[in-house]
Structures are given as C-alpha cells and as structure tokens.
Amino acid sequence: MDPGTPSQRGLNEHSNGLMRRNGLPKEIDFKPVPQAYISKVFNWRNNIPRKSLGYLTPIEYFMKLVDQAFEKGMLSRLI
C-alpha cells in the first residue's frame, strides 16, 4: 500500500476538491484569507450528509453517539 497515492484517499481527495470549488484553491496562502471566510467554507462542508455516516452530517452522527453513550450510562460519570 502507498498511503501517499491520491487514489487510496478518496474521501480526502473529494473533500479537497469541494473546498477548491468553493473558493479555497490548492495553492492558496491562508494568511490573507479572513478566518470568517475559511470558517464559512468548512462549516458548509461539515454540514453535508455523508453516505458513510448513514446520510447524517458529522455533527448529527456525533450527537447520536453521545446519546447512545448516555443511554448506556457511559457518560453519566463525566457530568
């Protein structure tokens, strides 16, 4: 296996392509880009449902796992 091969990092390459199409080109210098703009692009990307997460967004899937942990009593000792 060659982990540096783009063909073996499909989800990562797809995500990078989406960000480039939305105003963050590959060669971008992030220093002059306002944090608000970067946050907007990343928030947009993180709110897209994923097939690998059962068509939930990452935050929806995370909250589902948190709820399941509470139901099992796994998080009660943290609060």
Side-chain angles (χ1 to χ4, degrees):
M1 299 208 59
D2 184 10
T5 304
S7 63
Q8 295 180 5
R9 300 179 298 132
L11 181 59
N12 178 260
E13 291 299 317
H14 178 70
S15 295
N16 291 345
L18 287 173
M19 286 186 270
R20 284 193 286 276
R21 282 191 293 271
N22 286 281
L24 297 175
K26 191 173 189 176
E27 303 82 22
I28 194 168
D29 176 9
F30 283 95
K31 292 176 191 167
V33 179
Q35 179 61 45
Y37 182 73
I38 294 170
S39 295
K40 181 180 176 182
V41 172
F42 280 90
N43 284 332
W44 168 80
R45 178 65 185 121
N46 285 326
N47 283 296
I48 295 174
R50 308 291 205 296
K51 181 179 179 180
S52 63
L53 301 177
Y55 296 98
L56 297 174
T57 65
I59 190 65
E60 289 170 333
Y61 189 77
F62 174 75
M63 293 308 297
K64 177 182 170 182
L65 294 177
V66 170
D67 288 342
Q68 290 172 354
F70 266 114
E71 288 173 7
K72 293 179 182 177
M74 296 171 65
L75 296 179
S76 60
R77 61 181 165 227
L78 296 176
I79 298 177

Coordinates of all heavy atoms in Angstrom, one line a residue:
M1 N 0.8 -1.2 0.0 CA 0.0 0.0 0.0 C 0.9 1.2 0.0 O 1.9 1.3 0.7 CB -0.9 0.0 1.2 CG -1.9 -1.2 1.3 SD -3.4 -0.9 2.1 CE -4.1 0.4 1.3
D2 N 0.4 2.2 -0.7 CA 1.2 3.5 -0.8 C 0.2 4.6 -0.3 O -0.6 5.1 -1.1 CB 1.6 3.8 -2.3 CG 2.4 5.0 -2.4 OD1 2.8 5.6 -1.4 OD2 2.7 5.4 -3.6
P3 N 0.3 5.0 1.0 CA -0.6 5.9 1.6 C -0.6 7.3 0.9 O -1.5 8.1 1.1 CB -0.3 6.0 3.0 CG 1.1 5.4 3.1 CD 1.3 4.5 2.0
G4 N 0.5 7.6 0.2 CA 0.5 8.9 -0.4 C -0.2 9.0 -1.8 O -0.3 10.1 -2.4
T5 N -0.7 7.9 -2.2 CA -1.4 7.8 -3.5 C -2.8 8.4 -3.4 O -3.6 7.9 -2.6 CB -1.4 6.4 -4.0 OG1 -0.1 5.9 -4.1 CG2 -2.1 6.3 -5.4
P6 N -3.1 9.4 -4.2 CA -4.5 10.0 -4.1 C -5.6 9.0 -4.3 O -6.6 9.1 -3.7 CB -4.5 11.1 -5.2 CG -3.1 11.4 -5.3 CD -2.3 10.2 -5.1
S7 N -5.4 8.0 -5.1 CA -6.4 7.0 -5.4 C -6.8 6.2 -4.1 O -7.8 5.6 -4.0 CB -6.0 6.1 -6.5 OG -4.9 5.3 -6.1
Q8 N -5.9 6.2 -3.1 CA -6.2 5.5 -1.9 C -6.8 6.4 -0.8 O -7.0 6.0 0.3 CB -4.9 4.8 -1.4 CG -4.4 3.7 -2.3 CD -3.2 3.1 -1.9 OE1 -2.7 3.3 -0.8 NE2 -2.6 2.2 -2.7
R9 N -7.0 7.6 -1.1 CA -7.5 8.6 -0.2 C -8.7 9.3 -0.8 O -8.8 10.5 -0.8 CB -6.5 9.6 0.2 CG -5.2 9.0 0.8 CD -4.2 10.0 1.2 NE -3.7 10.7 0.0 CZ -3.5 12.0 0.0 NH1 -3.8 12.8 0.9 NH2 -3.1 12.6 -1.1
G10 N -9.7 8.5 -1.2 CA -10.8 9.0 -2.0 C -11.6 10.1 -1.3 O -11.9 11.1 -1.8
L11 N -12.0 9.8 0.0 CA -12.8 10.8 0.7 C -12.1 12.1 0.9 O -12.6 13.2 0.7 CB -13.3 10.2 2.1 CG -14.2 11.1 2.9 CD1 -15.5 11.5 2.1 CD2 -14.5 10.5 4.2
N12 N -10.8 12.0 1.3 CA -10.0 13.2 1.5 C -9.8 14.0 0.2 O -10.0 15.2 0.2 CB -8.6 12.8 2.0 CG -7.7 13.9 2.1 OD1 -6.8 14.2 1.3 ND2 -7.8 14.7 3.2
E13 N -9.6 13.3 -0.9 CA -9.4 14.0 -2.2 C -10.8 14.6 -2.7 O -10.8 15.7 -3.2 CB -8.9 13.0 -3.3 CG -7.5 12.6 -3.1 CD -6.5 13.8 -3.1 OE1 -6.6 14.6 -4.0 OE2 -5.6 13.8 -2.2
H14 N -11.9 14.0 -2.4 CA -13.2 14.5 -2.7 C -13.4 15.8 -1.9 O -13.9 16.8 -2.5 CB -14.3 13.5 -2.5 CG -15.6 14.0 -2.8 ND1 -16.1 14.2 -4.0 CD2 -16.7 14.3 -1.9 CE1 -17.3 14.7 -4.0 NE2 -17.7 14.7 -2.7
S15 N -13.1 15.7 -0.6 CA -13.3 16.9 0.2 C -12.5 18.0 -0.2 O -12.9 19.2 -0.3 CB -13.0 16.5 1.7 OG -13.9 15.6 2.2
N16 N -11.2 17.8 -0.6 CA -10.3 18.8 -1.0 C -10.9 19.4 -2.3 O -10.8 20.7 -2.5 CB -8.9 18.3 -1.3 CG -8.2 17.9 0.0 OD1 -8.6 18.3 1.1 ND2 -7.1 17.1 -0.1
G17 N -11.4 18.6 -3.2 CA -12.0 19.1 -4.5 C -13.1 20.0 -4.2 O -13.3 21.1 -4.9
L18 N -14.0 19.7 -3.3 CA -15.2 20.5 -2.9 C -14.7 21.8 -2.4 O -15.3 22.9 -2.7 CB -16.1 19.8 -1.9 CG -16.9 18.6 -2.4 CD1 -17.6 17.9 -1.3 CD2 -17.9 19.1 -3.5
M19 N -13.7 21.8 -1.5 CA -13.2 23.1 -1.0 C -12.6 24.0 -2.0 O -12.7 25.2 -2.0 CB -12.2 22.8 0.2 CG -13.0 22.3 1.4 SD -11.9 22.1 2.8 CE -11.4 20.4 2.6
R20 N -11.9 23.4 -3.0 CA -11.2 24.1 -4.1 C -12.3 24.8 -4.9 O -12.2 25.9 -5.4 CB -10.3 23.3 -4.9 CG -9.0 23.0 -4.2 CD -8.0 22.4 -5.1 NE -8.2 21.1 -5.4 CZ -7.8 20.0 -4.7 NH1 -7.2 20.2 -3.6 NH2 -8.1 18.8 -5.1
R21 N -13.4 24.0 -5.2 CA -14.5 24.6 -6.0 C -15.2 25.7 -5.3 O -16.0 26.4 -5.9 CB -15.5 23.5 -6.4 CG -15.0 22.6 -7.5 CD -16.0 21.7 -8.1 NE -16.4 20.7 -7.1 CZ -15.9 19.5 -7.0 NH1 -14.9 19.2 -7.7 NH2 -16.3 18.6 -6.1
N22 N -15.1 25.8 -4.0 CA -15.8 26.8 -3.2 C -14.9 27.9 -2.7 O -15.1 28.5 -1.7 CB -16.5 26.1 -2.0 CG -17.7 25.4 -2.5 OD1 -18.7 26.0 -2.7 ND2 -17.6 24.1 -2.6
G23 N -13.8 28.2 -3.5 CA -13.0 29.3 -3.2 C -11.7 29.2 -2.4 O -11.1 30.1 -2.1
L24 N -11.3 27.9 -2.2 CA -10.1 27.7 -1.5 C -9.2 26.9 -2.4 O -9.0 25.7 -2.3 CB -10.3 26.9 -0.2 CG -11.1 27.7 0.9 CD1 -11.4 26.8 2.1 CD2 -10.4 29.0 1.3
P25 N -8.5 27.5 -3.4 CA -7.7 26.8 -4.4 C -6.5 26.1 -3.7 O -6.1 26.5 -2.6 CB -7.2 27.9 -5.3 CG -7.4 29.2 -4.6 CD -8.5 29.0 -3.6
K26 N -6.0 25.1 -4.4 CA -4.9 24.3 -3.9 C -3.7 25.1 -3.5 O -3.1 24.8 -2.5 CB -4.5 23.3 -5.0 CG -3.6 22.2 -4.5 CD -3.4 21.2 -5.6 CE -2.7 20.0 -5.1 NZ -2.6 18.9 -6.1
E27 N -3.3 26.1 -4.2 CA -2.1 26.9 -3.9 C -2.3 28.1 -3.0 O -1.5 28.9 -2.8 CB -1.5 27.5 -5.2 CG -1.2 26.4 -6.3 CD -2.4 26.0 -7.1 OE1 -3.4 26.7 -7.2 OE2 -2.4 24.8 -7.6
I28 N -3.5 28.1 -2.3 CA -3.8 29.3 -1.6 C -2.9 29.5 -0.4 O -2.4 28.6 0.3 CB -5.3 29.2 -1.0 CG1 -5.8 30.5 -0.5 CG2 -5.4 28.2 0.0 CD1 -7.3 30.6 -0.3
D29 N -2.6 30.8 -0.1 CA -1.9 31.2 1.1 C -2.9 31.7 2.0 O -3.6 32.7 1.8 CB -0.9 32.4 0.7 CG -0.2 32.9 2.0 OD1 -0.3 32.3 3.1 OD2 0.5 34.0 1.8
F30 N -3.1 31.0 3.1 CA -4.2 31.3 4.0 C -4.0 32.5 4.9 O -4.9 33.0 5.5 CB -4.5 30.1 4.9 CG -5.2 28.9 4.3 CD1 -4.5 27.9 3.7 CD2 -6.6 29.0 4.2 CE1 -5.2 26.9 3.0 CE2 -7.3 28.0 3.6 CZ -6.6 26.9 3.0
K31 N -2.8 33.1 4.9 CA -2.6 34.2 5.7 C -3.5 35.4 5.4 O -4.0 36.0 6.3 CB -1.1 34.6 5.6 CG -0.2 33.6 6.2 CD 1.3 34.0 6.0 CE 2.2 32.9 6.4 NZ 3.5 33.1 6.0
P32 N -3.7 35.8 4.1 CA -4.6 36.9 3.9 C -6.1 36.6 3.8 O -6.9 37.5 3.7 CB -4.1 37.4 2.5 CG -3.6 36.2 1.8 CD -3.0 35.4 2.9
V33 N -6.4 35.3 3.9 CA -7.8 35.0 3.9 C -8.5 35.1 5.3 O -8.0 34.6 6.2 CB -8.0 33.5 3.4 CG1 -9.5 33.1 3.4 CG2 -7.4 33.3 2.1
P34 N -9.6 35.9 5.3 CA -10.2 36.1 6.6 C -10.7 34.8 7.3 O -11.2 33.9 6.6 CB -11.4 37.0 6.3 CG -11.2 37.5 5.0 CD -10.3 36.6 4.3
Q35 N -10.5 34.7 8.6 CA -10.9 33.4 9.3 C -12.4 33.2 9.1 O -12.9 32.1 9.0 CB -10.6 33.6 10.8 CG -11.0 32.3 11.6 CD -10.4 31.1 11.1 OE1 -9.2 31.1 10.9 NE2 -11.1 30.0 11.0
A36 N -13.2 34.3 9.0 CA -14.7 34.1 8.8 C -15.0 33.4 7.5 O -15.9 32.5 7.5 CB -15.3 35.5 8.8
Y37 N -14.2 33.7 6.5 CA -14.5 33.0 5.2 C -14.1 31.5 5.2 O -14.8 30.7 4.8 CB -13.7 33.7 4.1 CG -13.9 33.1 2.7 CD1 -15.1 33.3 2.1 CD2 -13.0 32.3 2.1 CE1 -15.4 32.7 0.8 CE2 -13.2 31.7 0.9 CZ -14.4 31.9 0.2 OH -14.7 31.3 -1.0
I38 N -12.9 31.3 5.8 CA -12.5 29.9 6.0 C -13.5 29.1 6.8 O -13.8 28.0 6.5 CB -11.1 29.8 6.6 CG1 -10.0 30.4 5.7 CG2 -10.7 28.4 7.0 CD1 -8.7 30.7 6.3
S39 N -13.9 29.7 7.9 CA -14.9 29.0 8.7 C -16.2 28.7 8.0 O -16.8 27.7 8.1 CB -15.2 29.9 10.0 OG -14.1 30.0 10.8
K40 N -16.6 29.7 7.1 CA -17.8 29.5 6.4 C -17.7 28.3 5.4 O -18.6 27.5 5.3 CB -18.1 30.8 5.6 CG -19.4 30.7 4.7 CD -19.6 32.0 4.0 CE -20.8 31.9 3.0 NZ -21.0 33.1 2.3
V41 N -16.6 28.2 4.7 CA -16.4 27.1 3.8 C -16.4 25.7 4.6 O -17.0 24.8 4.2 CB -15.1 27.3 3.0 CG1 -14.8 26.0 2.2 CG2 -15.2 28.5 2.1
F42 N -15.6 25.7 5.7 CA -15.6 24.5 6.4 C -16.9 24.1 7.1 O -17.2 22.9 7.2 CB -14.4 24.5 7.4 CG -13.1 24.3 6.8 CD1 -12.3 25.3 6.3 CD2 -12.6 23.0 6.6 CE1 -11.1 25.1 5.7 CE2 -11.4 22.7 6.0 CZ -10.6 23.8 5.5
N43 N -17.6 25.1 7.6 CA -18.9 24.8 8.2 C -19.9 24.2 7.1 O -20.6 23.3 7.4 CB -19.5 26.0 8.8 CG -18.9 26.4 10.1 OD1 -18.5 25.5 10.8 ND2 -18.9 27.6 10.5
W44 N -19.8 24.8 5.9 CA -20.6 24.3 4.8 C -20.3 22.8 4.6 O -21.1 22.0 4.5 CB -20.4 25.1 3.5 CG -21.0 24.5 2.3 CD1 -22.3 24.5 1.9 CD2 -20.3 23.7 1.4 NE1 -22.4 23.7 0.8 CE2 -21.2 23.2 0.4 CE3 -18.9 23.3 1.2 CZ2 -20.8 22.4 -0.7 CZ3 -18.6 22.5 0.1 CH2 -19.5 22.1 -0.8
R45 N -19.0 22.6 4.5 CA -18.5 21.2 4.2 C -18.9 20.2 5.3 O -19.3 19.1 5.0 CB -17.0 21.2 4.0 CG -16.4 19.9 3.7 CD -16.9 19.3 2.4 NE -16.4 18.0 2.2 CZ -17.2 16.9 2.0 NH1 -18.5 17.0 2.0 NH2 -16.7 15.7 1.9
N46 N -18.8 20.6 6.5 CA -19.1 19.7 7.6 C -20.6 19.6 7.8 O -21.0 18.8 8.7 CB -18.5 20.3 8.9 CG -17.0 20.0 8.9 OD1 -16.6 19.0 8.3 ND2 -16.2 20.9 9.5
N47 N -21.5 20.2 7.1 CA -22.9 20.1 7.2 C -23.5 19.4 6.0 O -24.7 19.4 5.8 CB -23.6 21.4 7.4 CG -23.4 21.9 8.9 OD1 -23.9 21.2 9.8 ND2 -22.6 22.9 9.1
I48 N -22.7 18.7 5.3 CA -23.1 17.8 4.2 C -23.3 16.4 4.7 O -22.4 15.8 5.3 CB -22.1 17.8 3.0 CG1 -22.0 19.2 2.4 CG2 -22.6 16.8 1.9 CD1 -21.0 19.4 1.3
P49 N -24.5 15.8 4.5 CA -24.7 14.4 5.0 C -23.7 13.5 4.3 O -23.4 13.7 3.1 CB -26.1 14.1 4.6 CG -26.8 15.4 4.5 CD -25.7 16.4 4.0
R50 N -23.2 12.5 5.0 CA -22.2 11.5 4.4 C -22.9 10.1 4.3 O -23.5 9.7 5.3 CB -21.0 11.4 5.3 CG -20.3 12.7 5.7 CD -19.6 13.3 4.5 NE -18.5 14.2 4.9 CZ -18.6 15.3 5.6 NH1 -19.7 15.7 6.1 NH2 -17.5 16.0 5.8
K51 N -22.7 9.5 3.2 CA -23.2 8.1 3.0 C -22.6 7.2 4.1 O -23.2 6.4 4.6 CB -22.8 7.7 1.6 CG -23.3 6.3 1.3 CD -22.9 5.8 -0.1 CE -23.4 4.4 -0.4 NZ -23.0 4.0 -1.8
S52 N -21.3 7.4 4.4 CA -20.6 6.6 5.3 C -21.1 6.7 6.7 O -20.9 5.9 7.6 CB -19.1 6.8 5.3 OG -18.8 8.2 5.7
L53 N -21.9 7.8 7.0 CA -22.5 8.0 8.3 C -24.0 7.8 8.3 O -24.7 8.4 9.1 CB -22.2 9.4 8.8 CG -20.7 9.8 8.9 CD1 -20.5 11.3 9.3 CD2 -20.0 8.9 9.9
G54 N -24.4 7.0 7.3 CA -25.9 6.8 7.2 C -26.7 8.0 6.8 O -27.8 8.2 7.2
Y55 N -26.1 8.8 6.0 CA -26.7 10.1 5.5 C -27.0 11.1 6.6 O -27.9 11.9 6.4 CB -27.9 9.8 4.6 CG -27.5 9.0 3.4 CD1 -27.6 7.6 3.3 CD2 -26.9 9.6 2.3 CE1 -27.2 6.9 2.2 CE2 -26.5 8.9 1.2 CZ -26.7 7.5 1.1 OH -26.2 6.8 0.0
L56 N -26.2 11.0 7.6 CA -26.2 12.1 8.7 C -25.0 13.0 8.4 O -24.0 12.6 7.8 CB -26.1 11.4 10.1 CG -27.2 10.5 10.5 CD1 -26.9 9.8 11.8 CD2 -28.6 11.2 10.5
T57 N -25.1 14.2 9.0 CA -24.0 15.1 8.9 C -23.0 14.6 10.1 O -23.4 13.9 11.0 CB -24.4 16.6 9.2 OG1 -24.9 16.7 10.5 CG2 -25.4 17.0 8.2
P58 N -21.8 15.0 10.0 CA -20.8 14.6 11.1 C -21.3 15.0 12.5 O -21.2 14.2 13.4 CB -19.5 15.4 10.7 CG -19.6 15.4 9.2 CD -21.0 15.7 8.9
I59 N -21.9 16.2 12.7 CA -22.4 16.6 14.0 C -23.6 15.8 14.4 O -23.7 15.4 15.6 CB -22.7 18.1 14.1 CG1 -22.9 18.5 15.5 CG2 -23.8 18.5 13.2 CD1 -21.8 18.4 16.5
E60 N -24.5 15.5 13.4 CA -25.6 14.6 13.8 C -25.2 13.2 14.2 O -25.7 12.7 15.2 CB -26.6 14.5 12.6 CG -27.3 15.7 12.2 CD -28.1 15.7 10.9 OE1 -27.6 14.9 10.0 OE2 -29.1 16.4 10.7
Y61 N -24.2 12.7 13.5 CA -23.7 11.4 13.9 C -23.0 11.4 15.2 O -23.2 10.5 16.1 CB -22.7 10.9 12.8 CG -22.3 9.4 13.0 CD1 -23.2 8.4 12.6 CD2 -21.1 9.1 13.5 CE1 -22.8 7.1 12.8 CE2 -20.7 7.8 13.7 CZ -21.6 6.8 13.3 OH -21.3 5.5 13.5
F62 N -22.2 12.4 15.5 CA -21.6 12.6 16.8 C -22.6 12.6 17.9 O -22.5 12.0 18.9 CB -20.7 13.8 16.8 CG -20.1 14.1 18.1 CD1 -19.0 13.4 18.6 CD2 -20.6 15.2 18.9 CE1 -18.5 13.7 19.9 CE2 -20.1 15.4 20.2 CZ -19.0 14.7 20.7
M63 N -23.6 13.5 17.7 CA -24.7 13.6 18.7 C -25.4 12.3 19.0 O -25.8 11.9 20.1 CB -25.7 14.7 18.4 CG -25.0 16.1 18.5 SD -24.1 16.4 20.0 CE -25.4 16.4 21.2
K64 N -25.6 11.5 17.9 CA -26.2 10.2 18.0 C -25.4 9.3 18.9 O -25.9 8.6 19.8 CB -26.4 9.6 16.6 CG -26.9 8.2 16.6 CD -27.0 7.7 15.1 CE -27.3 6.2 15.1 NZ -27.3 5.7 13.7
L65 N -24.0 9.3 18.7 CA -23.2 8.5 19.5 C -23.2 9.0 21.0 O -23.1 8.2 21.9 CB -21.7 8.6 19.0 CG -21.5 7.9 17.6 CD1 -20.1 8.1 17.2 CD2 -21.9 6.5 17.6
V66 N -23.2 10.3 21.2 CA -23.3 10.8 22.6 C -24.6 10.4 23.2 O -24.6 9.9 24.4 CB -23.2 12.4 22.6 CG1 -23.5 12.9 23.9 CG2 -21.8 12.8 22.1
D67 N -25.7 10.4 22.5 CA -27.0 10.0 23.1 C -26.9 8.5 23.4 O -27.4 8.1 24.5 CB -28.1 10.2 22.1 CG -28.5 11.7 22.0 OD1 -28.1 12.5 22.8 OD2 -29.2 12.0 21.0
Q68 N -26.3 7.7 22.6 CA -26.2 6.3 22.8 C -25.4 6.0 24.1 O -25.7 5.1 24.9 CB -25.6 5.5 21.6 CG -26.6 5.5 20.5 CD -25.9 4.9 19.2 OE1 -24.7 4.6 19.2 NE2 -26.7 4.7 18.2
A69 N -24.3 6.8 24.2 CA -23.4 6.6 25.4 C -24.2 7.0 26.7 O -24.0 6.3 27.7 CB -22.2 7.5 25.2
F70 N -25.0 8.1 26.6 CA -25.8 8.4 27.8 C -26.8 7.3 28.1 O -27.0 7.0 29.3 CB -26.5 9.7 27.5 CG -25.8 11.0 28.0 CD1 -25.4 11.9 27.1 CD2 -25.6 11.2 29.4 CE1 -24.7 13.0 27.6 CE2 -24.9 12.3 29.9 CZ -24.4 13.2 28.9
E71 N -27.4 6.8 27.1 CA -28.4 5.7 27.3 C -27.8 4.5 28.0 O -28.4 3.8 28.8 CB -29.0 5.3 26.0 CG -30.0 6.3 25.5 CD -30.5 6.0 24.1 OE1 -30.2 4.9 23.6 OE2 -31.2 6.8 23.5
K72 N -26.5 4.2 27.7 CA -25.8 3.1 28.3 C -25.1 3.5 29.6 O -24.5 2.6 30.2 CB -24.7 2.6 27.3 CG -25.3 2.0 26.0 CD -24.2 1.5 25.1 CE -24.8 1.0 23.8 NZ -23.7 0.6 22.9
G73 N -25.3 4.7 30.0 CA -24.7 5.2 31.3 C -23.2 5.4 31.2 O -22.5 5.5 32.2
M74 N -22.6 5.5 30.0 CA -21.2 5.6 29.9 C -20.7 7.0 30.1 O -19.6 7.2 30.5 CB -20.8 5.2 28.4 CG -21.0 3.7 28.2 SD -20.8 3.3 26.4 CE -19.0 3.6 26.3
L75 N -21.6 8.0 30.0 CA -21.2 9.4 30.2 C -21.7 10.0 31.5 O -21.3 11.1 31.8 CB -21.6 10.3 29.0 CG -21.1 9.9 27.6 CD1 -21.6 10.8 26.6 CD2 -19.5 10.1 27.6
S76 N -22.5 9.3 32.2 CA -23.0 9.9 33.4 C -22.0 10.2 34.5 O -22.1 11.2 35.2 CB -24.1 8.9 34.0 OG -23.4 7.6 34.3
R77 N -20.9 9.5 34.5 CA -19.8 9.8 35.5 C -19.0 11.0 35.1 O -18.3 11.5 35.9 CB -18.9 8.6 35.6 CG -18.2 8.2 34.4 CD -17.4 7.0 34.6 NE -17.1 6.5 33.2 CZ -17.1 5.2 32.9 NH1 -17.5 4.3 33.7 NH2 -16.9 4.9 31.7
L78 N -19.1 11.5 33.8 CA -18.4 12.7 33.4 C -19.1 14.0 33.8 O -18.5 15.0 33.8 CB -18.2 12.7 31.9 CG -17.3 11.5 31.3 CD1 -17.3 11.6 29.8 CD2 -15.9 11.6 31.9
I79 N -20.4 13.9 34.1 CA -21.2 15.1 34.4 C -21.3 15.3 35.9 O -21.4 14.4 36.7 CB -22.5 15.1 33.7 CG1 -22.3 15.0 32.2 CG2 -23.4 16.2 34.1 CD1 -23.6 14.9 31.4

